Amino acid sequence: MAQAIPFRQASPLKASCHQCSLSNLCLPLAIEENDLDRLEDIIQQGRIFNRGEHIFDQSTPFRSCFAVKSGSIKTSIITEGGEEQVTGFFMPGELVGLDSMSSENYACTARALERTSVCEFPVDKLEELTGKLPDLQHHMYHLMSQEIQNSHQLAMLLSKNTAEERIAALLLSLSSRFQRRRMSPTNFSLPMARNDIANFLGLAVETVSRVFTRFQNQGIIKARGREVELLDVEALQLVTREFSRQSHP
Amino acid sequence: MAQAIPFRQASPLKASCHQCSLSNLCLPLAIEENDLDRLEDIIQQGRIFNRGEHIFDQSTPFRSCFAVKSGSIKTSIITEGGEEQVTGFFMPGELVGLDSMSSENYACTARALERTSVCEFPVDKLEELTGKLPDLQHHMYHLMSQEIQNSHQLAMLLSKNTAEERIAALLLSLSSRFQRRRMSPTNFSLPMARNDIANFLGLAVETVSRVFTRFQNQGIIKARGREVELLDVEALQLVTREFSRQSHP
DNA sequence: CATCCAATTTGATCCATATCAACAATGTAC
DNA sequence: GTACATTGTTGATATGGATCAAATTGGATG
């Protein structure tokens, strides 16, 4: 299975975006070849996290954003009462921590859903660099704005769509993100548990489970545990649009 | 009633952040006195919009962000099916359009909820300026990250909280935003219709109406139309926390 | 391999809120 | 001021998904 682990350089501490297979998805995509060194200079090679380990914790001092190199990460907010709300899933090439850039402390907790490696971008250095590289600054605005849009999209899903529509939307989102990485868009394994899906989509675990089996019975997907095969992508897309079409015939 | 209309300058087209009563809330707050001119230079004095008029439209070319000077704005996404999802309300001193910075076109539609005046910041010039003023760049990151957090907060409200909790949270949010502007935090008039509140919070209008009257019967608020008085702020805060406390005794 | 604990699935019941249906109030145009 | 449209309120009923309960599967550990 395609993993995004870059070749080792002579210097073990310096990242090598040049060789990283994700350079066309990650921050480097915004940067000209000859400026890439300046980005590499500020990257701290992050360590490897095992499943369940925290990359960072809510309410601890915010220092860095992290790019996922391999594996996957879930972010969540813990309320005063101890309730967890999953706010996002992050896959290789995606940047985690942008929601914390307004605060002294991390606004959420990030933990590895599986064995996961990351690149660390200390914010002070990152901000300094984006001040010098307009393209990189532009890309940061782009990413953050994208994250706002994603979150609005989620809010919309939560407030207006049925359980089936929410789950179809999630499956399609994962699908396209696997595709971006040149992996199969129809045959993948979910990095997260049903529980996380439920929490993220504002549903009960039982409901998620039921919808999965319903989709399976309809021949739209095949699911055994976390292994998923999308048998009928068009049907899934139809499900996500069902709602809006019905209410405006 | 305190309005944020700045004094007119000799040059009618140049904004005068120096005299604007919102300069401690708006972009200028991040800028040193002597750099303020550079910000003023890129601002286009926006025109006045009447209630219902569009400041910008989803899917038209994205050119500018807008700061609310007086009045208020609601942003919403229209789905393919024509469904509207209200994504936010913006009051004086707040910046509208950050969610569009990743796209060629505006990601949402912004319309005036009442007679509203704005300052316009063309993005190309704004990006150029933030590249030169690190503090301003930092502030932009701050604002965008804040918007991500707000949206996560909304998603959380939508997925985990009851109708009463959602409405209490909205009232408190408005309250603190009025307070920031040195207006009464307990006595204000809602800029938006019940319908918009319902849409924003993922509820039916009828439910919003019922909760308002329930709060009123409990003596927590007094509401006549859009005029609202918060009689018992602590009770409201208690409502928003009710949920998390109950589930973790 | 046996044991244990966590994750998933399935079934039965209940409830918060949507929906449907009037009606009242408020605002707006003539 | 009257008429019409929009917005808000209140009541009755229906329902999607939560919750409670229990069985099943799967993965980890010794």
Side-chain angles (χ1 to χ4, degrees):
Chain A
M1 181 157 295
Q3 289 289 343
I5 297 170
F7 301 136
R8 284 275 158 196
Q9 288 280 83
S11 155
L13 284 175
K14 176 154 177 175
S16 59
C17 297
H18 284 98
Q19 273 101 12
C20 183
S21 67
L22 294 166
S23 58
N24 57 331
L25 302 178
C26 193
L27 283 188
L29 89 78
I31 297 188
E32 302 219 12
E33 185 72 15
N34 41 352
D35 285 330
L36 205 48
D37 285 328
R38 305 173 69 177
L39 184 63
E40 289 183 354
D41 282 341
I42 72 164
I43 297 179
Q44 289 176 21
Q45 197 71 258
R47 62 184 188 83
I48 308 241
F49 296 88
N50 286 317
R51 169 212 270 243
E53 285 182 335
H54 291 32
I55 288 83
F56 55 77
D57 279 289
Q58 188 174 341
S59 304
T60 62
F62 169 56
R63 302 233 184 288
S64 303
C65 290
F66 295 84
V68 182
K69 213 154 48 170
S70 69
S72 49
I73 290 175
K74 100 174 170 197
T75 53
S76 52
I77 301 176
I78 313 288
T79 66
E80 319 156 29
E83 281 288 311
E84 180 182 20
Q85 164 75 26
V86 175
T87 53
F89 302 111
F90 295 83
M91 320 227 315
E94 298 172 352
L95 202 56
V96 188
L98 294 178
D99 56 339
S100 301
M101 293 198 54
S102 66
S103 20
E104 288 300 306
N105 298 324
Y106 284 106
C108 64
T109 295
R111 49 160 86 196
L113 286 167
E114 55 194 312
R115 206 172 157 73
T116 294
S117 65
V118 297
C119 288
E120 178 171 355
F121 300 83
V123 267
D124 47 357
K125 299 202 180 124
L126 185 58
E127 276 196 34
E128 200 186 320
L129 189 60
T130 61
K132 291 176 197 150
L133 302 180
D135 288 345
L136 185 59
Q137 177 187 252
H138 183 80
H139 191 57
M140 283 295 289
Y141 289 148
H142 180 95
L143 288 177
M144 295 184 79
S145 144
Q146 195 69 56
E147 189 121 341
I148 299 171
Q149 282 185 40
N150 286 344
S151 190
H152 284 164
Q153 213 62 38
L154 175 62
M156 192 144 146
L157 216 54
L158 292 172
S159 85
K160 299 239 187 317
N161 293 57
T162 65
E164 293 199 354
E165 289 157 359
R166 297 181 206 183
I167 290 173
L170 177 63
L171 288 174
L172 289 172
S173 162
L174 292 173
S175 169
S176 72
R177 285 149 83 188
F178 278 113
Q179 189 160 35
R180 279 198 340 154
R181 286 159 58 204
R182 325 234 157 237
M183 298 171 67
S184 168
T186 56
N187 224 304
F188 50 84
S189 111
L190 300 169
M192 73 296 277
R194 297 283 188 278
N195 215 336
D196 293 326
I197 295 180
N199 188 309
F200 179 63
L201 295 177
L203 299 169
V205 206
E206 293 94 324
T207 305
V208 174
S209 184
R210 275 186 253 270
V211 171
F212 266 85
T213 51
R214 213 177 305 156
F215 281 168
Q216 190 148 222
N217 292 338
Q218 295 169 350
I220 298 180
I221 67 171
K222 206 167 89 185
R224 238 180 23 270
R226 293 189 177 191
E227 293 305 319
V228 173
E229 186 175 358
L230 309 188
L231 299 173
D232 189 347
V233 173
E234 292 199 2
L236 272 181
Q237 290 167 336
L238 213 63
V239 171
T240 64
R241 285 187 214 123
E242 204 70 17
F243 170 75
S244 32
R245 287 196 298 104
Q246 279 181 355
S247 32
H248 293 266
Chain B
M1 182 154 299
Q3 289 291 343
I5 297 171
F7 300 135
R8 285 274 159 195
Q9 286 282 84
S11 155
L13 284 176
K14 175 152 177 177
S16 60
C17 297
H18 284 99
Q19 272 101 12
C20 183
S21 67
L22 294 167
S23 59
N24 57 331
L25 302 178
C26 192
L27 284 187
L29 89 78
I31 298 188
E32 302 220 12
E33 185 71 16
N34 41 350
D35 285 330
L36 205 48
D37 286 328
R38 304 173 70 178
L39 184 63
E40 288 183 354
D41 282 339
I42 72 165
I43 297 179
Q44 289 176 22
Q45 196 73 255
R47 62 184 188 83
I48 307 240
F49 297 87
N50 286 316
R51 169 211 270 244
E53 285 183 334
H54 291 33
I55 288 84
F56 54 78
D57 279 289
Q58 187 173 341
S59 304
T60 62
F62 170 57
R63 302 231 184 289
S64 303
C65 291
F66 295 84
V68 183
K69 213 153 48 170
S70 68
S72 49
I73 290 175
K74 98 172 172 200
T75 53
S76 52
I77 301 176
I78 313 287
T79 66
E80 318 156 29
E83 280 288 310
E84 180 182 20
Q85 163 74 30
V86 176
T87 54
F89 302 111
F90 294 82
M91 321 229 313
E94 298 173 351
L95 201 56
V96 189
L98 294 177
D99 56 339
S100 301
M101 293 198 53
S102 66
S103 22
E104 288 299 307
N105 298 323
Y106 284 105
C108 64
T109 295
R111 50 160 85 197
L113 286 168
E114 55 195 311
R115 207 171 157 72
T116 294
S117 65
V118 297
C119 288
E120 178 172 355
F121 300 82
V123 267
D124 47 357
K125 298 201 180 124
L126 185 58
E127 277 195 34
E128 200 186 320
L129 189 59
T130 60
K132 291 177 199 148
L133 302 179
D135 287 346
L136 185 59
Q137 177 187 251
H138 182 81
H139 192 57
M140 282 296 288
Y141 289 148
H142 180 95
L143 288 176
M144 296 184 79
S145 144
Q146 195 69 57
E147 189 121 342
I148 300 171
Q149 282 185 39
N150 285 344
S151 190
H152 284 164
Q153 213 61 38
L154 175 63
M156 192 144 146
L157 216 55
L158 292 172
S159 86
K160 299 240 188 315
N161 292 53
T162 66
E164 293 199 353
E165 289 156 0
R166 297 182 206 184
I167 290 174
L170 177 63
L171 289 174
L172 289 172
S173 162
L174 292 173
S175 168
S176 71
R177 286 149 82 188
F178 278 113
Q179 189 160 36
R180 280 198 340 155
R181 287 159 57 204
R182 324 235 157 237
M183 297 170 69
S184 168
T186 57
N187 225 304
F188 48 85
S189 109
L190 300 170
M192 73 295 278
R194 298 283 189 276
N195 216 335
D196 293 326
I197 295 179
N199 187 309
F200 179 63
L201 295 177
L203 299 168
V205 205
E206 294 93 327
T207 306
V208 173
S209 186
R210 274 185 253 270
V211 171
F212 267 84
T213 50
R214 212 177 305 155
F215 280 168
Q216 190 149 222
N217 293 338
Q218 295 168 352
I220 298 180
I221 68 171
K222 203 168 90 185
R224 237 180 20 271
R226 294 191 177 190
E227 294 304 320
V228 174
E229 185 175 359
L230 309 189
L231 299 173
D232 189 346
V233 173
E234 292 200 2
L236 272 181
Q237 288 167 337
L238 213 61
V239 171
T240 65
R241 287 187 213 122
E242 206 67 19
F243 169 75
S244 34
R245 287 196 298 104
Q246 279 180 356
S247 32
H248 292 265

